[in-house]
């Protein structure tokens, strides 16, 4: 199982960062490769909420299921995507003071199996690192932009 972790400083308080990340409507704006993210159950947020996520990476398209598998308000939210591969994205939010927070992005993924899978370990690891870095960078930008707009009070 592969594991990657990044941390960054976000120019928004934890409450704002978490509120933005917790809203399923914004997921396609920041999660790399996701073009749509629709609830499939009664819940649209919180532990146990499930979604149909359309993934598009180049010519490859697939719909995967996503479940919120870890959730603590204003602290952590974990997404588990299941398709051909299982990929878990965990986002942790910690206050830094002065309206700033630390965002820790962590992913775990299962590499392809079999002989062909062993040959692809390097490229899969490289692609996973790139995807997490792009996700983290875009999420940070989106949170900071969200924080300076007047939408914060209307969505929370």
């Amino acid at each position: 199982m592969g594991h990657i972790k990044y941390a960054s400083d976000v120019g928004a308080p934890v409450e704002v960062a978490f509120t933005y990340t917790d809203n399923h409507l914004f997921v396609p704006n920041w999660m790399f490769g996701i073009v749509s993210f629709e609830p499939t159950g009664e819940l649209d947020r919180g532990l146990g909420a499930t979604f149909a996520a359309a993934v598009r990476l180049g010519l490859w398209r697939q719909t995967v299921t996503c479940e919120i598998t870890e959730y603590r308000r204003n602290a952590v939210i974990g997404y588990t995507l299941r398709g051909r591969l299982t990929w878990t994205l965990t986002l942790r939010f910690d206050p830094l003071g002065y309206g700033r927070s630390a965002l820790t992005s962590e992913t775990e993924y299962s590499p392809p199996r079999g002989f062909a899978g062993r040959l692809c370990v390097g490229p899969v690891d490289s692609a996973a690192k790139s995807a997490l870095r792009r996700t983290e960078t875009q999420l940070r930008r989106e949170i900071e932009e969200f924080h300076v707009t007047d939408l914060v009070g209307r969505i929370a």
Side-chain angles (χ1 to χ4, degrees):
M1 180 151 286
H3 181 262
I4 304 165
K5 186 175 185 178
Y6 291 118
S8 63
D9 184 356
V10 179
V14 168
E15 298 78 18
V16 172
F18 189 89
T19 297
Y20 181 84
T21 307
D22 191 28
N23 191 326
H24 74 278
L25 299 174
F26 298 138
V27 172
N29 296 345
W30 58 265
M31 194 179 288
F32 178 73
I34 302 295
V35 293
S36 75
F37 198 76
E38 300 296 326
T40 58
E42 293 179 19
L43 299 174
D44 67 351
R45 67 184 58 200
L47 191 63
T50 57
F51 303 89
V55 179
R56 183 172 49 203
L57 299 170
L59 297 175
W60 182 69
R61 290 180 166 88
Q62 182 180 10
T63 299
V64 298
T65 59
C66 178
E67 180 180 359
I68 305 295
T69 53
E70 191 172 356
Y71 189 90
R72 285 191 319 277
R73 183 98 180 122
N74 295 331
V76 64
I77 186 166
Y79 301 89
T80 299
L81 290 96
R82 294 181 182 93
R84 290 184 184 169
L85 303 175
T86 298
W87 181 53
T88 302
L89 173 65
T90 304
L91 304 168
R92 297 183 194 292
F93 302 89
D94 296 300
L96 291 177
Y98 303 107
R100 301 192 71 77
S101 54
L103 168 64
T104 304
S105 307
E106 194 170 357
T107 189
E108 290 186 4
Y109 57 94
S110 58
R113 295 184 180 146
F115 179 72
R118 281 184 260 145
L119 292 175
C120 296
V121 168
V124 168
D125 285 344
S126 178
K129 286 177 185 175
S130 177
L132 181 61
R133 178 54 83 188
R134 287 180 180 188
T135 294
E136 179 269 331
T137 300
Q138 188 62 31
L139 178 57
R140 185 171 28 88
R141 281 189 201 130
E142 293 284 333
I143 289 170
E144 289 172 349
E145 186 176 310
F146 177 74
H147 180 52
V148 298
T149 65
D150 65 340
L151 294 175
V152 175
R154 289 189 241 157
I155 293 179

